[in-house]
């Protein structure tokens, strides 16, 4: 979106969609007075014009850090309006296809065409125009309502049967947080409630599986005191996610970018976290032990970095009977873990956020992200190996959540079912 060519393509698409949806607006307002029609049409094109202007000048907003929060909400509103119009277009196309078929029938057989287009009551085109407007408005209202859910933390509790679990770790309570995205979290008091809720679960160990920041290490500073409160008897372990490398920001130099990563790592250590950079740690209880393996970001998707080195991270713990892998991107599990490392019984990931938008019911879940990620939220099993994908603690881009709420994961490990 920062490239001029890409922005103009988006703007052209927006204008086409605006014009198409406007045909429905004209149909809906036709029965009303000219004054009302002009008012509605004026509001519609004013909002459309402002949306186009915002997209055209989007790069300039990125150069105004003071407007960061406002920019995020404006961007979300513009995208929400555009998606609502796209949904409306889908219904309008149904009507246009119907009218095209009627026109073709009329050309082939005028008498049948006249019968096909005769309608009683509300013309179908008017009905579908209202329906498309209603669908679009409902989506947009839901999209805006999602702004209120971004700090609505949900505790997801799950009892995991892991046959190789050493006896001393029976009943171990694992807390997983992921995708905190400090740069998006402006309400420190709300974040503290989330951290307090996590600690109230009385964890034995805590894992933070990447994307602590959006871009810059300094984003951590306002939340440092709150995040430092995370503690557990067996420690707090963390890894880096794709956002922790600062890849989505233009840096003055490569040295500045590298320093940002070092600052991120240093801040995590200052908070008392044990960050694992393609390395491992042994957790000992009595005569038993488990291995915690942490890799840097590794993704099977081409547009995300591959900094992780799982073989290096496993060095020295090959003979530990139970291993927990922390890897930010769940595509790593299918690409390497279940194919080449059958001795890793449990993997914890995040990254997807469940796209912060979807539907979840007992036994059913759906999100657009599932068309990009096979494993995108919750628990997955392949043989004796298990993967849990956390839905994310924070948010980025869209400052809200619809259906897929911010998550605090509580996993209780047991040898029995």
């Amino acid at each position: 979106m920062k490239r001029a060519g890409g922005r103009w393509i988006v703007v052209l698409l927006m204008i086409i969609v605006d014009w198409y949806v406007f045909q429905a607006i004209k149909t809906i307002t036709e029965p009303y007075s000219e004054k009302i029609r002009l008012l509605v049409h004026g509001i519609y094109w004013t909002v459309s014009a402002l949306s186009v202007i915002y997209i055209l000048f989007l790069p300039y907003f990125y150069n105004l850090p003071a407007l960061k929060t406002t920019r995020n909400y404006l961007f979300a509103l513009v995208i929400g309006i555009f998606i609502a119009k796209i949904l409306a277009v889908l219904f309008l196309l149904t009507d246009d296809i119907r009218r095209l078929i009627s026109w073709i029938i009329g050309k082939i057989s005028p008498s049948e065409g006249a019968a096909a287009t005769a309608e009683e009551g509300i013309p179908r085109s008017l009905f579908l125009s209202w329906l498309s407007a209603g669908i679009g408005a409902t989506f947009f209202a839901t999209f805006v309502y999602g702004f209120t859910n971004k700090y609505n933390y949900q505790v997801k509790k799950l009892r995991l049967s892991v046959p190789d679990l050493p006896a001393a770790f029976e009943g171990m309570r694992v807390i997983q947080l992921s995708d905190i995205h400090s740069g998006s979290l402006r309400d420190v008091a709300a974040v503290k409630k989330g951290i307090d809720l996590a600690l109230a679960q009385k964890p034995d160990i805590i894992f933070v599986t990447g994307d602590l920041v959006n871009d810059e290490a300094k984003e951590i500073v306002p939340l440092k005191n709150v995040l430092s409160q995370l503690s557990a008897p067996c420690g707090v372990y963390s890894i880096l996610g794709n956002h922790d490398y600062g890849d989505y920001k233009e840096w003055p130099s490569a040295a500045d970018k590298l320093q940002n990563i070092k600052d991120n790592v240093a801040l995590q250590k200052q908070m008392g976290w044990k960050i694992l950079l393609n390395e491992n740690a042994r957790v000992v209880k009595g005569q038993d032990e488990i291995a915690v393996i942490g890799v840097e970001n590794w993704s099977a998707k081409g547009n995300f970095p591959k900094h992780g080195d799982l073989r290096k991270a496993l060095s020295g713990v090959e003979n530990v009977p139970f291993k927990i892998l922390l890897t930010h991107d769940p595509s790593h599990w299918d690409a390497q873990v279940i194919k080449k490392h059958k001795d890793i019984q449990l993997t914890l990931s995040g990254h997807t956020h469940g796209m912060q938008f979807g539907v979840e019911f007992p036994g059913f879940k759906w999100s657009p992200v599932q068309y990009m990620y096979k494993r995108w939220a919750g628990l997955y099993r392949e043989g004796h190996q298990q993967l849990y994908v956390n839905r994310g603690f924070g948010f980025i881009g869209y400052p809200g959540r619809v259906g897929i709420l911010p998550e605090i994961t509580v996993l209780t490990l047991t040898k029995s079912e």
Side-chain angles (χ1 to χ4, degrees):
M1 286 289 266
K2 291 184 181 181
R3 295 182 178 180
R7 290 200 309 279
W8 280 108
I9 291 172
V10 171
V11 165
L12 179 60
L13 179 60
M14 290 174 69
I15 292 172
I16 293 171
V17 170
D18 284 338
W19 176 85
Y20 195 66
V21 173
F22 183 64
Q23 308 313 305
I25 300 297
K26 287 198 298 184
T27 300
I28 290 170
T29 57
E30 187 175 354
Y32 299 95
S33 68
E34 183 179 2
K35 186 176 181 179
I36 292 176
R37 290 200 305 271
L38 290 174
L39 176 63
V40 174
H41 297 177
I43 292 173
Y44 177 85
W45 282 116
T46 298
V47 172
S48 297
L50 290 174
S51 298
V52 167
I53 291 170
Y54 177 79
I55 294 298
L56 284 175
F57 288 91
L58 188 59
Y60 299 98
F61 283 87
Y62 276 88
N63 295 326
L64 298 171
L67 296 178
K68 186 173 184 179
T69 300
T70 302
R71 181 191 73 208
N72 288 343
Y73 279 97
L74 285 174
F75 184 75
L77 288 171
V78 169
I79 294 300
I81 291 170
F82 182 68
I83 295 174
K85 289 177 180 178
I86 291 292
L87 291 175
V89 164
L90 296 177
F91 285 88
L92 295 174
L93 281 172
T94 301
D95 187 48
D96 283 344
I97 292 171
R98 176 192 65 83
R99 287 189 289 166
L100 177 61
I101 292 172
S102 296
W103 180 82
I104 293 173
I105 292 174
K107 289 293 184 181
I108 297 173
S109 175
S111 60
E112 291 183 16
T117 55
E119 296 176 343
E120 296 180 359
I122 300 176
R124 179 176 287 182
S125 59
L126 179 57
F127 169 74
L128 284 176
S129 295
W130 273 109
L131 181 62
S132 64
I135 293 293
T138 299
F139 170 83
F140 184 68
T142 303
F143 194 76
V144 172
Y145 171 74
F147 293 165
T148 67
N149 281 328
K150 56 183 174 288
Y151 297 109
N152 186 13
Y153 301 109
Q154 303 292 298
V155 176
K156 298 282 188 181
K157 295 183 179 181
L158 199 62
R159 190 174 182 87
L160 287 190
S161 174
V162 281
D164 295 328
L165 184 71
F169 292 88
E170 175 68 30
M172 183 179 194
R173 290 173 69 82
V174 174
I175 289 283
Q176 182 194 4
L177 302 177
S178 193
D179 301 89
I180 292 175
H181 286 288
S182 301
S184 299
L185 303 180
R186 302 294 179 175
D187 190 339
V188 178
V191 175
K192 186 178 186 309
K193 288 182 180 179
I195 297 301
D196 289 343
L197 182 59
L199 293 173
Q201 309 309 310
K202 302 187 183 304
D204 294 302
I205 195 166
I206 297 174
F207 299 127
V208 183
T209 50
D211 276 6
L212 180 58
V213 302
N214 294 344
D215 299 297
E216 301 178 78
K218 65 182 182 182
E219 297 167 13
I220 302 168
V221 176
L223 297 174
K224 184 179 176 183
N225 290 338
V226 173
L227 297 177
S228 295
Q229 295 174 22
L230 288 172
S231 64
C234 294
V236 179
Y237 296 85
S238 62
I239 57 172
L240 297 178
N242 55 296
H243 277 269
D244 293 312
Y245 297 93
D247 288 339
Y248 309 106
K249 172 185 169 62
E250 293 184 7
W251 296 93
S253 68
D256 288 308
K257 183 178 179 181
L258 180 59
Q259 186 59 50
N260 179 67
I261 300 172
K262 291 179 178 179
D263 291 344
N264 187 328
V265 171
L267 283 164
Q268 293 191 44
K269 291 179 178 179
Q270 290 171 25
M271 293 189 295
W273 302 1
K274 301 172 185 177
I275 185 167
L276 301 175
L277 305 172
N278 295 324
E279 53 194 338
N280 60 68
R282 294 171 182 252
V283 180
V284 180
K285 292 185 75 172
Q287 300 299 312
D288 294 329
E289 65 177 358
I290 63 174
V292 178
I293 301 131
V295 295
E296 295 191 51
N297 194 81
W298 195 100
S299 176
K301 307 295 181 180
N303 55 333
F304 292 111
K306 289 181 171 64
H307 298 293
D309 187 335
L310 187 48
R311 290 189 181 278
K312 178 181 177 182
L314 282 164
S315 179
V317 293
E318 294 87 352
N319 296 325
V320 176
F322 186 79
K323 301 178 181 68
I324 299 176
L325 171 65
L326 312 181
T327 181
H328 179 67
D329 193 312
S331 66
H332 191 192
W333 195 62
D334 281 295
Q336 287 192 337
V337 180
I338 61 176
K339 291 181 178 179
K340 302 176 182 179
H341 301 280
K342 299 292 185 181
D343 57 335
I344 297 176
Q345 296 92 333
L346 177 60
T347 300
L348 302 179
S349 298
H351 181 60
T352 70
H353 300 208
M355 210 169 181
Q356 298 169 213
F357 184 91
V359 178
E360 285 197 88
F361 299 110
F364 175 80
K365 61 186 178 185
W366 174 88
S367 168
V369 78
Q370 72 187 56
Y371 303 114
M372 295 176 277
Y373 280 87
K374 181 180 179 181
R375 327 281 184 173
W376 60 275
L379 183 66
Y380 301 89
R381 291 188 177 93
E382 291 288 341
H384 71 286
Q385 294 179 281
Q386 300 182 75
L387 164 72
Y388 192 89
V389 183
N390 180 283
R391 295 160 179 82
F393 185 88
F395 54 91
I396 191 170
Y398 169 50
R401 294 264 184 168
V402 175
I404 310 293
L405 299 177
E407 177 178 353
I408 297 165
T409 308
V410 183
L411 303 176
T412 300
L413 307 185
T414 177
K415 292 190 69 168
S416 59
E417 292 289 347

